[in-house]
Amino acid sequence: VKVVVVANPANTNAFILSVYAPSIPRENITCLTRLDHNRARGQIAKRTGAHNSDVKNVIIWGNHSSTQYPDVSHGTVKGKSIREVVKDDVWLDKGFIDTVQQRGAAILKIRGLSSALSAASSVCDHIHDWVLGTPVGEWVSMGVVSKGDYGTTAGLVFSFPVSCKAGTWTVVKGLTLDAASQQRLHATEEELLEERDLAQEVLAETK
């Protein structure tokens, strides 16, 4: 069994599943942040005039919410650093991040409906790469049960950059995070901890 939780709060719903469905291996429980990942790629492609497929190794860290951290620090466009190609750190560090974080809310406000088709397509991308693997040297974003990677709290379902092979995901190790990035990771982790604690409190009351 492989699980992709889509319903919000996706990370915390996946966390609850990881606790209350012990028969499912924790590494087989994930949540969808590929929609955010694809949106981040799309924003960079639009800004640079490239095709989405030319944009690689962006990262969505943390929660599938407005605290998520869309990170381009290790990403490329046609093999060149995104920052080198875009040449606008102010936009990358503010406007880009805000747009990706708020994209779902913006679509809901305009259409009165969520982006169901985009979410469905992203689920397909998520499963495709999980089962069939990611190209060598490339990664995608998936919400997975943390083992303490990058200083995060073990047990939380946190979005990381992962590479996949033969149905198994592995968190990409050794990526450098500057002070601003570390602060953003901390902020999204704090939200996830609050959600976890609230969920555990509610579940305890229902026993």
Coordinates of all heavy atoms in Angstrom, one line a residue, residues 121-174:
S121 N -3.6 16.2 -11.5 CA -2.4 16.0 -12.3 C -1.2 15.9 -11.5 O -0.3 15.1 -11.8 CB -2.3 17.2 -13.3 OG -1.1 17.2 -14.0
S122 N -1.1 16.6 -10.4 CA 0.0 16.6 -9.5 C 0.1 15.2 -8.8 O 1.2 14.7 -8.5 CB 0.0 17.7 -8.5 OG 0.0 19.0 -9.2
V123 N -1.0 14.7 -8.4 CA -1.0 13.3 -7.8 C -0.4 12.3 -8.8 O 0.4 11.5 -8.4 CB -2.5 12.9 -7.4 CG1 -2.5 11.4 -7.0 CG2 -3.0 13.8 -6.3
C124 N -0.8 12.5 -10.1 CA -0.2 11.6 -11.1 C 1.3 11.7 -11.2 O 2.0 10.7 -11.2 CB -0.8 11.8 -12.4 SG -2.6 11.4 -12.6
D125 N 1.8 13.0 -11.1 CA 3.2 13.2 -11.1 C 3.9 12.6 -9.9 O 5.0 12.0 -10.0 CB 3.5 14.7 -11.1 CG 3.1 15.4 -12.4 OD1 2.9 14.7 -13.5 OD2 2.9 16.7 -12.4
H126 N 3.3 12.8 -8.8 CA 3.8 12.3 -7.5 C 4.0 10.8 -7.6 O 5.0 10.2 -7.3 CB 2.8 12.7 -6.4 CG 3.1 12.2 -5.0 ND1 3.5 13.1 -4.0 CD2 3.1 11.0 -4.4 CE1 3.7 12.4 -2.9 NE2 3.4 11.1 -3.1
I127 N 2.9 10.1 -8.0 CA 2.9 8.6 -8.0 C 3.9 8.1 -9.1 O 4.7 7.2 -8.9 CB 1.5 8.1 -8.3 CG1 0.6 8.3 -7.1 CG2 1.6 6.6 -8.6 CD1 1.0 7.5 -5.9
H128 N 3.9 8.8 -10.3 CA 4.8 8.4 -11.4 C 6.2 8.4 -10.9 O 6.9 7.4 -11.1 CB 4.6 9.4 -12.5 CG 5.5 9.2 -13.7 ND1 6.8 9.7 -13.7 CD2 5.3 8.5 -14.9 CE1 7.4 9.3 -14.8 NE2 6.5 8.6 -15.5
D129 N 6.6 9.5 -10.3 CA 8.0 9.6 -9.9 C 8.4 8.7 -8.7 O 9.5 8.1 -8.6 CB 8.4 11.0 -9.5 CG 8.4 11.9 -10.7 OD1 8.6 11.4 -11.9 OD2 8.3 13.1 -10.6
W130 N 7.4 8.5 -7.8 CA 7.6 7.6 -6.6 C 7.8 6.2 -7.1 O 8.7 5.5 -6.7 CB 6.4 7.7 -5.7 CG 6.5 7.0 -4.4 CD1 7.6 6.3 -3.9 CD2 5.5 7.0 -3.4 NE1 7.3 5.9 -2.6 CE2 6.0 6.2 -2.3 CE3 4.2 7.5 -3.3 CZ2 5.3 6.0 -1.1 CZ3 3.5 7.2 -2.1 CH2 4.0 6.5 -1.1
V131 N 7.0 5.7 -8.1 CA 7.0 4.4 -8.5 C 8.1 4.1 -9.5 O 8.8 3.1 -9.5 CB 5.6 3.9 -9.1 CG1 5.7 2.5 -9.7 CG2 4.6 4.0 -8.0
L132 N 8.2 5.0 -10.5 CA 9.1 4.8 -11.6 C 10.5 5.5 -11.4 O 11.5 5.1 -12.1 CB 8.5 5.3 -12.9 CG 7.2 4.6 -13.3 CD1 6.7 5.2 -14.6 CD2 7.4 3.1 -13.4
G133 N 10.6 6.4 -10.5 CA 11.9 7.0 -10.2 C 12.1 8.3 -10.8 O 11.4 8.7 -11.8
T134 N 13.0 9.1 -10.2 CA 13.4 10.4 -10.7 C 14.7 10.3 -11.5 O 15.5 9.4 -11.2 CB 13.6 11.4 -9.5 OG1 14.4 10.8 -8.5 CG2 12.2 11.8 -8.9
P135 N 14.9 11.2 -12.4 CA 16.2 11.1 -13.2 C 17.4 11.4 -12.2 O 17.2 12.1 -11.2 CB 16.0 12.3 -14.2 CG 14.5 12.4 -14.4 CD 14.0 12.2 -13.0
V136 N 18.5 10.8 -12.6 CA 19.7 10.9 -11.8 C 20.0 12.4 -11.6 O 20.0 13.2 -12.6 CB 20.9 10.2 -12.4 CG1 22.2 10.5 -11.6 CG2 20.6 8.7 -12.4
G137 N 20.3 12.9 -10.4 CA 20.6 14.3 -10.2 C 19.5 15.2 -10.0 O 19.7 16.4 -9.8
E138 N 18.2 14.7 -10.1 CA 17.1 15.5 -10.0 C 16.2 15.1 -8.8 O 16.3 13.9 -8.4 CB 16.2 15.5 -11.3 CG 16.9 16.0 -12.5 CD 16.0 16.0 -13.7 OE1 14.7 16.0 -13.5 OE2 16.5 16.0 -14.8
W139 N 15.5 16.0 -8.3 CA 14.6 15.7 -7.2 C 13.2 16.3 -7.3 O 13.1 17.2 -8.1 CB 15.2 16.0 -5.8 CG 15.6 17.5 -5.6 CD1 14.7 18.5 -5.5 CD2 16.9 18.0 -5.6 NE1 15.4 19.7 -5.4 CE2 16.8 19.4 -5.4 CE3 18.2 17.5 -5.6 CZ2 17.8 20.3 -5.3 CZ3 19.3 18.4 -5.5 CH2 19.1 19.7 -5.3
V140 N 12.3 15.9 -6.5 CA 11.0 16.5 -6.5 C 10.6 16.7 -5.0 O 11.3 16.3 -4.1 CB 9.9 15.6 -7.1 CG1 10.2 15.5 -8.6 CG2 9.9 14.2 -6.5
S141 N 9.5 17.4 -4.8 CA 9.0 17.6 -3.4 C 7.9 16.7 -3.0 O 7.0 16.5 -3.7 CB 8.5 19.1 -3.3 OG 9.5 20.0 -3.6
M142 N 8.1 16.1 -1.8 CA 7.0 15.2 -1.3 C 6.9 15.4 0.2 O 8.0 15.6 0.9 CB 7.4 13.7 -1.5 CG 7.3 13.3 -3.0 SD 7.9 11.6 -3.3 CE 6.8 10.6 -2.2
G143 N 5.7 15.4 0.7 CA 5.5 15.4 2.2 C 5.7 13.9 2.7 O 5.0 13.0 2.3
V144 N 6.7 13.7 3.5 CA 7.1 12.4 4.1 C 7.3 12.5 5.6 O 7.5 13.6 6.1 CB 8.3 11.8 3.3 CG1 8.1 11.7 1.8 CG2 9.6 12.7 3.6
V145 N 7.3 11.4 6.2 CA 7.5 11.3 7.7 C 9.0 11.6 7.9 O 9.9 10.9 7.5 CB 7.1 10.0 8.3 CG1 7.4 10.0 9.8 CG2 5.7 9.7 8.0
S146 N 9.2 12.7 8.7 CA 10.6 13.1 8.9 C 11.3 12.2 9.9 O 10.7 11.7 10.8 CB 10.6 14.5 9.6 OG 11.9 14.9 10.0
K147 N 12.6 12.0 9.6 CA 13.5 11.2 10.5 C 14.4 12.2 11.2 O 15.5 11.7 11.7 CB 14.2 10.2 9.7 CG 13.3 9.1 9.1 CD 14.1 8.1 8.3 CE 13.2 7.1 7.6 NZ 13.9 6.1 6.8
G148 N 14.1 13.5 11.2 CA 14.9 14.5 11.8 C 15.8 15.2 10.8 O 16.7 15.9 11.1
D149 N 15.5 14.9 9.5 CA 16.3 15.6 8.4 C 16.2 17.1 8.5 O 15.2 17.7 8.8 CB 15.7 15.1 7.0 CG 15.6 13.6 6.9 OD1 16.6 13.0 6.5 OD2 14.5 13.1 7.2
Y150 N 17.4 17.7 8.2 CA 17.6 19.1 8.3 C 17.1 19.8 9.6 O 16.6 20.9 9.6 CB 16.9 19.8 7.1 CG 17.5 19.4 5.8 CD1 17.1 18.3 5.0 CD2 18.7 20.1 5.3 CE1 17.7 17.9 3.8 CE2 19.3 19.7 4.1 CZ 18.8 18.7 3.4 OH 19.5 18.3 2.2
G151 N 17.2 19.0 10.7 CA 16.9 19.5 12.0 C 15.4 19.6 12.3 O 15.0 20.1 13.3
T152 N 14.6 18.9 11.5 CA 13.1 18.9 11.7 C 12.8 17.9 12.8 O 13.5 17.0 13.0 CB 12.4 18.7 10.4 OG1 12.8 17.4 9.9 CG2 12.6 19.8 9.4
T153 N 11.6 18.1 13.3 CA 11.1 17.2 14.4 C 10.8 15.8 13.8 O 9.9 15.7 12.9 CB 9.9 17.8 15.1 OG1 10.3 19.0 15.7 CG2 9.4 16.8 16.2
A154 N 11.4 14.8 14.3 CA 11.1 13.4 13.8 C 9.6 13.1 14.0 O 9.0 13.4 15.0 CB 12.0 12.4 14.5
G155 N 9.0 12.5 13.0 CA 7.6 12.1 13.1 C 6.6 13.0 12.4 O 5.6 12.6 12.0
L156 N 7.0 14.3 12.3 CA 6.2 15.2 11.5 C 6.2 14.8 10.0 O 7.2 14.3 9.5 CB 6.7 16.6 11.6 CG 6.5 17.4 12.9 CD1 7.1 18.8 12.7 CD2 5.0 17.5 13.3
V157 N 5.1 15.0 9.4 CA 5.1 14.9 7.9 C 5.4 16.2 7.3 O 4.7 17.2 7.4 CB 3.7 14.4 7.4 CG1 3.7 14.3 5.9 CG2 3.4 13.0 8.0
F158 N 6.6 16.3 6.7 CA 7.2 17.5 6.3 C 7.6 17.4 4.8 O 8.1 16.3 4.4 CB 8.5 17.7 7.2 CG 9.1 19.1 7.2 CD1 8.7 20.0 8.2 CD2 10.0 19.5 6.2 CE1 9.3 21.3 8.2 CE2 10.5 20.8 6.2 CZ 10.2 21.7 7.2
S159 N 7.4 18.4 4.0 CA 7.8 18.3 2.6 C 9.3 18.6 2.5 O 9.9 19.5 3.0 CB 7.1 19.4 1.8 OG 7.4 19.3 0.4
F160 N 10.0 17.6 1.8 CA 11.4 17.7 1.6 C 11.7 17.5 0.1 O 10.8 16.9 -0.6 CB 12.1 16.5 2.3 CG 12.1 16.6 3.8 CD1 11.3 15.8 4.6 CD2 13.0 17.4 4.5 CE1 11.3 15.8 5.9 CE2 13.0 17.5 5.9 CZ 12.2 16.7 6.6
P161 N 12.9 17.8 -0.3 CA 13.4 17.3 -1.7 C 13.7 15.9 -1.6 O 14.4 15.4 -0.7 CB 14.6 18.2 -1.9 CG 15.1 18.5 -0.5 CD 13.9 18.6 0.3
V162 N 13.1 15.1 -2.5 CA 13.4 13.6 -2.4 C 13.8 13.1 -3.8 O 13.3 13.7 -4.8 CB 12.2 12.8 -1.9 CG1 11.8 13.3 -0.5 CG2 11.0 12.9 -2.9
S163 N 14.6 12.1 -3.9 CA 14.8 11.4 -5.1 C 14.2 10.0 -4.9 O 14.0 9.5 -3.8 CB 16.3 11.2 -5.4 OG 17.0 10.5 -4.3
C164 N 13.7 9.4 -6.0 CA 13.0 8.2 -6.0 C 13.6 7.1 -6.9 O 14.1 7.5 -8.0 CB 11.5 8.4 -6.4 SG 10.6 9.6 -5.4
K165 N 13.6 5.9 -6.4 CA 14.1 4.8 -7.2 C 13.4 3.5 -6.8 O 13.3 3.2 -5.6 CB 15.6 4.6 -7.0 CG 16.2 3.6 -7.9 CD 17.7 3.5 -7.7 CE 18.4 2.5 -8.6 NZ 19.8 2.4 -8.4
A166 N 12.8 2.8 -7.7 CA 12.2 1.5 -7.5 C 11.2 1.5 -6.4 O 11.1 0.7 -5.5 CB 13.3 0.5 -7.2
G167 N 10.3 2.6 -6.4 CA 9.3 2.7 -5.4 C 9.7 3.2 -4.0 O 8.9 3.1 -3.1
T168 N 10.9 3.6 -3.9 CA 11.4 4.1 -2.6 C 11.9 5.5 -2.7 O 12.5 5.9 -3.7 CB 12.5 3.2 -2.1 OG1 12.1 1.9 -2.0 CG2 13.1 3.7 -0.8
W169 N 11.5 6.4 -1.8 CA 12.0 7.8 -1.8 C 13.1 7.9 -0.8 O 13.2 7.2 0.2 CB 10.8 8.8 -1.5 CG 10.1 8.5 -0.1 CD1 9.0 7.8 0.0 CD2 10.6 8.9 1.2 NE1 8.6 7.7 1.4 CE2 9.6 8.4 2.1 CE3 11.7 9.6 1.7 CZ2 9.7 8.6 3.5 CZ3 11.8 9.8 3.0 CH2 10.8 9.3 3.9
T170 N 14.0 8.9 -1.1 CA 15.1 9.2 -0.2 C 15.2 10.7 -0.1 O 15.3 11.4 -1.1 CB 16.4 8.6 -0.7 OG1 16.3 7.2 -0.8 CG2 17.6 8.9 0.3
V171 N 15.3 11.2 1.1 CA 15.5 12.7 1.3 C 16.9 13.1 0.8 O 17.8 12.4 1.1 CB 15.3 13.1 2.7 CG1 15.7 14.6 2.9 CG2 13.9 12.9 3.2
V172 N 16.9 14.1 -0.1 CA 18.2 14.6 -0.6 C 19.0 15.2 0.6 O 18.5 16.0 1.3 CB 18.0 15.6 -1.7 CG1 19.3 16.2 -2.2 CG2 17.2 15.0 -2.8
K173 N 20.2 14.7 0.8 CA 21.0 15.1 1.9 C 22.0 16.2 1.5 O 22.4 16.4 0.3 CB 21.8 13.9 2.4 CG 21.0 12.7 2.7 CD 20.1 12.9 3.9 CE 19.4 11.6 4.3 NZ 18.4 11.7 5.4
G174 N 22.5 17.0 2.5 CA 23.6 17.8 2.3 C 23.4 19.1 1.6 O 24.4 19.8 1.3

